[in-house]
Amino acid sequence: MLAKSRPAPPPGGEVLWLQPYPDRLLDELPARDADDPETSAVARETIEPAYLVAVQHLAPRPRAVLILRDVLGWSAKEVADLLGDSVNSVNSALQRARAGLREHLPAERQDWTGGEQDAGTRDLVRRYADAGVATDVPTPASMLRNDVRCSMPPTPGLHVGRDAVVNDWVEGGFEGMKGPRAVPTSVNRQPAVAFYLWQKGEDAYLPVTIDVLRVTDGAIAEIVTFHDDRFPRLGLPERLPADGTE
């Protein structure tokens, strides 16, 4: 079914069907072994955008085995019974899947943030939002890691490195934006900032983009930007009035 339902990922690394998942829906899922730190870490990481991109590069069978074993916590025998395969074959497919993930996941995955944000992360997100409102490039640039990654699915392309990301901001006209507004939020258990721009004809601020941030060691390691069509499903306001309040 996986093989038939999705085309192969394009060679540039872009996954065109990636969508952010609202935390309010994740909160409704039943907790499984919530007190187990390892289980909680896996549950957090497997819904982050970087993981969702990486897993879609896997062939259908290894992908299915990985999701059943590592995400849902099934035993090798349960997976073998479901797929009509042997336990040895399932274990081999899992090894191939994990090796494939390592090729596409960013480095230092064990340091990813998620779940409850600490005070430092909340302050970083606040400063990032304030800098966005001020259309101040140097300030958010100082928050980026040297090896930061930035993408905007489904738009093709991946910018890697602080200079490449900042140049993209400048060439995209970020500094010329007039009075945006920012709403901090959370998506895929990661901090995010939704941006709005004033539209005179609508007499309101309307959605533009939402930046989902991955924070590592107090700096932004990845920015995945989504378009305004994602706002309603994420429970974000469809417009902000002139005073900037909901």
Side-chain angles (χ1 to χ4, degrees):
M1 185 172 65
L2 284 171
K4 294 178 181 178
S5 64
R6 297 294 187 191
E14 304 86 4
V15 178
L16 302 186
W17 53 87
L18 177 66
Q19 298 180 7
Y21 200 82
D23 279 5
R24 60 190 174 83
L25 296 183
L26 290 173
D27 291 338
E28 297 174 3
L29 298 176
R32 178 177 58 85
D33 299 329
D35 294 332
D36 180 4
E38 182 177 356
T39 299
S40 297
V42 170
R44 180 192 76 214
E45 293 169 356
T46 54
I47 49 82
E48 292 191 6
Y51 184 96
L52 299 179
V53 169
V55 78
Q56 293 183 67
H57 286 273
L58 303 177
R61 181 165 291 269
R63 189 195 316 177
V65 170
L66 180 86
I67 292 171
L68 292 169
R69 292 281 281 118
D70 282 359
V71 180
L72 299 182
W74 286 27
S75 69
K77 186 178 186 308
E78 289 174 322
V79 176
D81 290 343
L82 176 71
L83 299 181
D85 218 333
S86 68
V87 170
N88 287 340
S89 178
V90 165
N91 289 335
S92 177
L94 182 60
Q95 290 178 353
R96 294 197 306 274
R98 289 171 174 170
L101 277 186
R102 285 194 291 271
E103 295 179 8
H104 297 286
L105 283 174
E108 302 179 7
R109 177 171 174 246
Q110 69 274 13
D111 296 328
W112 291 8
T113 60
E116 294 297 323
Q117 298 172 24
D118 59 32
T121 298
R122 289 194 297 271
D123 179 66
L124 181 73
V125 173
R126 179 190 58 77
R127 290 187 289 114
Y128 181 86
D130 290 345
V133 170
T135 62
D136 169 22
V137 170
T139 297
S142 69
M143 305 177 193
L144 305 179
R145 284 174 52 120
N146 288 332
D147 59 352
V148 65
R149 298 158 58 92
C150 186
S151 59
M152 183 184 284
T155 304
L158 173 68
H159 301 283
V160 180
R162 181 187 291 123
D163 290 344
V165 171
V166 171
N167 287 340
D168 182 60
W169 288 350
V170 173
E171 292 175 1
F174 173 70
E175 293 174 303
M177 295 174 67
K178 302 295 184 182
R181 292 290 181 268
V183 176
T185 184
S186 180
V187 176
N188 293 70
R189 300 293 190 222
Q190 293 179 261
V193 179
F195 289 101
Y196 296 75
L197 269 181
W198 177 255
Q199 301 294 332
K200 186 175 181 180
E202 296 287 339
D203 195 32
Y205 292 89
L206 299 185
V208 182
T209 57
I210 177 169
D211 289 355
V212 182
L213 310 176
R214 179 166 58 86
V215 179
T216 302
D217 295 331
I220 297 173
E222 184 167 22
I223 304 171
V224 182
T225 300
F226 295 98
H227 296 287
D228 58 356
D229 61 330
R230 299 292 94 200
F231 277 59
R233 191 163 186 264
L234 295 174
L236 291 163
E238 296 184 6
R239 58 199 295 129
L240 299 178
D243 61 3
T245 61
E246 294 186 30

